[in-house]
Amino acid sequence: MKKLALGIGILFLIALAIPTLAVDHGAPPNINYQEKISDNSCNPLTVTSPTILNLNDVSIGDTSLTTDSQAKKIADTDVKKLIKLLNKAYSNEWLSYEQYLDGYQIVYGPNKEAVVAELTVHANEEFGHANLLNIRINQLGGTPSEPQEWSKLSNCGYYAPTDPYVITVLEQNIKSEQCSIKTYNNLLKKTRDQDPVTYNIILGILQMEIEHEEELQALLDGIIGIPNP
């Protein structure tokens, strides 16, 4: 009994001592956030006005356009002669365009639909060639030839489709393409090392003219032997 009473007494003393062991952290600080925000230690971002560039103060070189353009200067050749040759090719293209245009509207015979489709495509491409030559002639300071001059300047001429049978029309246009190929091949030789811009234009056109000849010849080969009705 004495031991039991002693144990109870010890437990009672421990219970009384526990509150005094707690750590007193104190109350949370009372922070005035409004006062903190207005603290001058954090200055607001200062935005400055953008600087306006005065183009009058900037030197960009002489941009004036003259007839003696860089296109002429980089052409290491007789530009006047080159313009004449380009105008000859330009006239060829317009007459070729007209020849295709007239041909596909009246052609008849076997495989007519395929022939009409091919002539139509070729007409549009010849128109595109004429436009490229027009641009280059102007760049070189020349003047593209007028419609009334085309027959005189052209070395390939115009074959009127007086006989609109498919074989005749195809043969006429093959002759025109062969003439154009020779013309552009001669232009390539004259511009190869003298005028790289004209050379590249002519090379692109020549490649298409070669394709035209091959396409027309393939159509012709498929029709030859079929009797004319």
Side-chain angles (χ1 to χ4, degrees), residues 53-86:
L53 181 64
N54 187 348
L55 294 181
N56 293 325
D57 297 333
V58 180
S59 176
I60 56 176
D62 183 10
T63 59
S64 59
L65 297 177
T66 65
T67 54
D68 192 18
S69 65
Q70 289 299 315
K72 292 174 64 177
K73 290 180 179 179
I74 66 173
D76 186 20
T77 185
D78 187 327
V79 175
K80 290 183 178 180
K81 288 184 179 180
L82 177 58
I83 290 172
K84 286 183 179 180
L85 293 173
L86 291 175

Side-chain angles (χ1 to χ4, degrees), residues 30-153:
N30 184 14
I31 301 175
N32 188 335
Y33 292 100
Q34 186 64 34
E35 185 180 57
K36 188 69 174 176
I37 292 174
S38 62
D39 188 352
N40 291 331
S41 62
C42 296
N43 294 323
L45 177 65
T46 301
V47 180
T48 58
S49 300
T51 301
I52 305 299
L53 181 64
N54 187 348
L55 294 181
N56 293 325
D57 297 333
V58 180
S59 176
I60 56 176
D62 183 10
T63 59
S64 59
L65 297 177
T66 65
T67 54
D68 192 18
S69 65
Q70 289 299 315
K72 292 174 64 177
K73 290 180 179 179
I74 66 173
D76 186 20
T77 185
D78 187 327
V79 175
K80 290 183 178 180
K81 288 184 179 180
L82 177 58
I83 290 172
K84 286 183 179 180
L85 293 173
L86 291 175
N87 259 321
K88 183 185 292 290
Y90 179 69
S91 300
N92 286 342
E93 291 294 351
W94 274 116
L95 293 182
S96 182
Y97 166 76
E98 185 64 31
Q99 186 171 309
Y100 277 122
L101 190 68
D102 293 343
Y104 78 65
Q105 294 184 73
I106 62 174
V107 69
Y108 77 92
N111 208 13
K112 172 187 172 180
E113 292 77 12
V115 172
V116 168
E118 198 66 58
L119 296 182
T120 303
V121 171
H122 288 195
N124 290 329
E125 291 176 343
E126 304 298 359
F127 180 87
H129 298 166
N131 187 51
L132 289 173
L133 294 172
N134 182 300
I135 293 172
R136 187 57 183 155
I137 290 169
N138 277 294
Q139 288 175 340
L140 292 170
T143 301
S145 56
E146 298 292 335
Q148 62 269 21
E149 301 176 289
W150 294 341
S151 295
K152 181 177 65 175
L153 293 176

